[in-house]
Amino acid sequence: MLLSGMSRRLAALSGLIVGAVTAIPMTGVRAEGIDTKTTHLMAIGICPPWKSLDTQACRRGVDAIQAALAKRLDIDDKNVTTLVNAAATTEGLKVAFAGLSGLGANDRLIIYANMHAGTLDPTAEAGPDNDVFVLWTNEKPAAVRFAVAEGDWIMASDFAGWVHALPAGEVIFILDACESGAVTPLFIEAHPQNNANRAEAVIVSAAASQFANFAADRSIALYSQQLAQSIADGRGTFQQAADFAASRTHTAAIAICDPLKSALEKAGMDPLSCAQQPATHDPDAVLTRIVLHD
C-alpha cells in the first residue's frame, strides 16, 4: 500500500500485482505461555474508498490478526480496540489512544496497523522524517501536504509520538504498509520521546524502498494474511511466527513479481521494490520471550 511517487508509476499495474498464499503446515504440541503481562491489542485497518481496492480488505486483515493474537496470547475482548475505515480518522485515533492512557508497567500493548503510507516529499526517499500515514477520508485529498496540514493524514513521527506517550510496559508495533521499513527507528530509539527503559519491538511488512503486495484475490494484504496464519497455526515464540511469515511473504512476493519485471522496469521502477521482505527489529528481545500457546 503506497502513496505518492511510487503509486503514480504503479497506476497502470494496479490490476497485476497479486499474490498467492498457501497453507502454513505447522503442527505439534505448542509451548505454554510464560509471560504474566496483561496483553492489550489496538488493531487499525484503513482502506479508503477512493483507492482501487475493496474497502473491506483492511477489515479482513484486522479480523485475522485479532483472532490469531487473541487465541494465542489470551487477549480478553475488553482489552481489544479496533479502528477500521471510517472509525480510523485522526480524531478516532486520538480517542483510542486516550482510552489506553491508563496502561502501566504490567501491561503489554500490541498495535497492528494495515494502511497506505508513503513520502511527504515524493522527490526524496522515505524515512523517519518523510513518511505519512494515510487515515480515512471519504474523498482523496487534493495533495498530500494539504491532507497533513489539515490534519486528515498524519506524519508517521506524530503517530509514533502518541505510541511513546503511552505508559505501557512493553510495546509491539506491527505495520503492514508500503515502505514500512522507513519508519522503524521512530518506534524504537530514534524518537525524542523514546523511553530507553521500556521494551519495544517493531515488525514491518516491507523494506523502506518496497511496496506491499496483496493476496491473489486482493481480499487482504499478503503479509497480514501470512502473519495471522503463522501465529494461528504456529508453535514456539512470537519471533518464530514472525520469521516464518516473513519467509513465506518474501517467497510469495518473488513469485508475484518475476512475471512483472519488464512492466516494472518500463514504469521506471526497480523490480526489487516488488520483492517484499518483511523485517523484525527487536533490540529488547521482546518477541523471543513471548510464547504462543493453545
Side-chain angles (χ1 to χ4, degrees), residues 253-268:
I254 291 173
I256 294 165
C257 301
D258 278 350
L260 301 176
K261 182 178 180 180
S262 178
L264 290 167
E265 290 175 338
K266 287 180 180 179

Side-chain angles (χ1 to χ4, degrees), residues 40-105:
H40 302 255
L41 172 66
M42 175 187 283
I44 304 165
I46 310 169
C47 291
W50 41 268
K51 281 285 187 178
S52 57
L53 179 71
D54 181 1
T55 58
Q56 293 306 302
C58 288
R59 162 63 73 181
R60 296 183 190 104
V62 165
D63 289 347
I65 292 292
Q66 178 183 336
L69 288 174
K71 178 181 178 182
R72 304 308 304 280
L73 298 181
D74 290 334
I75 305 176
D76 194 294
D77 287 346
K78 72 177 187 298
N79 294 328
V80 176
T81 302
T82 59
L83 294 161
V84 179
N85 290 337
T89 60
T90 303
E91 289 306 313
L93 284 172
K94 287 180 178 178
V95 171
F97 273 94
L100 296 172
S101 61
L103 298 182

Side-chain angles (χ1 to χ4, degrees), residues 201-227:
V202 181
I203 301 172
V204 294
S205 67
S209 60
Q210 296 178 325
F211 53 88
N213 295 283
F214 284 87
D217 60 2
R218 297 181 65 80
S219 65
I220 188 172
L222 175 61
Y223 182 65
S224 291
Q225 187 175 51
Q226 292 285 10
L227 181 61

Side-chain angles (χ1 to χ4, degrees), residues 6-270:
M6 186 184 292
S7 59
R8 289 197 296 271
R9 295 193 296 272
L10 278 172
L13 303 173
S14 60
L16 298 177
I17 301 174
V18 296
V21 178
T22 56
I24 300 176
M26 300 178 72
T27 59
V29 178
R30 300 182 178 101
E32 291 299 316
I34 58 174
D35 200 302
T36 59
K37 280 186 170 57
T38 299
T39 302
H40 302 255
L41 172 66
M42 175 187 283
I44 304 165
I46 310 169
C47 291
W50 41 268
K51 281 285 187 178
S52 57
L53 179 71
D54 181 1
T55 58
Q56 293 306 302
C58 288
R59 162 63 73 181
R60 296 183 190 104
V62 165
D63 289 347
I65 292 292
Q66 178 183 336
L69 288 174
K71 178 181 178 182
R72 304 308 304 280
L73 298 181
D74 290 334
I75 305 176
D76 194 294
D77 287 346
K78 72 177 187 298
N79 294 328
V80 176
T81 302
T82 59
L83 294 161
V84 179
N85 290 337
T89 60
T90 303
E91 289 306 313
L93 284 172
K94 287 180 178 178
V95 171
F97 273 94
L100 296 172
S101 61
L103 298 182
N106 290 324
D107 293 301
R108 172 192 299 125
L109 175 62
I110 300 174
I111 301 174
Y112 159 80
N114 181 201
M115 63 176 72
H116 298 280
T119 57
L120 179 67
D121 177 2
T123 66
E125 294 182 353
D129 298 322
N130 188 35
D131 201 86
V132 175
F133 285 176
V134 177
L135 306 185
W136 176 270
T137 56
N138 289 316
E139 297 181 359
K140 183 178 181 179
V144 176
R145 289 188 181 277
F146 291 163
V148 173
E150 294 173 3
D152 292 329
W153 297 352
I154 60 173
M155 297 299 297
S157 55
D158 292 332
F159 185 95
W162 297 349
V163 175
H164 285 295
L166 294 174
E170 288 183 359
V171 174
I172 300 167
F173 181 52
I174 305 168
L175 178 61
D176 191 350
C178 286
E179 304 174 339
S180 48
V183 307
T184 294
L186 291 173
F187 295 89
I188 308 179
E189 71 281 353
H191 198 279
Q193 291 178 243
N194 180 60
N195 179 357
N197 295 319
R198 181 168 78 180
E200 299 161 331
V202 181
I203 301 172
V204 294
S205 67
S209 60
Q210 296 178 325
F211 53 88
N213 295 283
F214 284 87
D217 60 2
R218 297 181 65 80
S219 65
I220 188 172
L222 175 61
Y223 182 65
S224 291
Q225 187 175 51
Q226 292 285 10
L227 181 61
Q229 192 168 4
S230 67
I231 292 171
D233 297 344
R235 60 182 178 180
T237 67
F238 200 144
Q239 181 66 68
Q240 289 172 315
D243 288 344
F244 195 76
S247 175
R248 298 293 293 183
T249 299
H250 184 58
T251 298
I254 291 173
I256 294 165
C257 301
D258 278 350
L260 301 176
K261 182 178 180 180
S262 178
L264 290 167
E265 290 175 338
K266 287 180 180 179
M269 299 187 67
D270 182 350

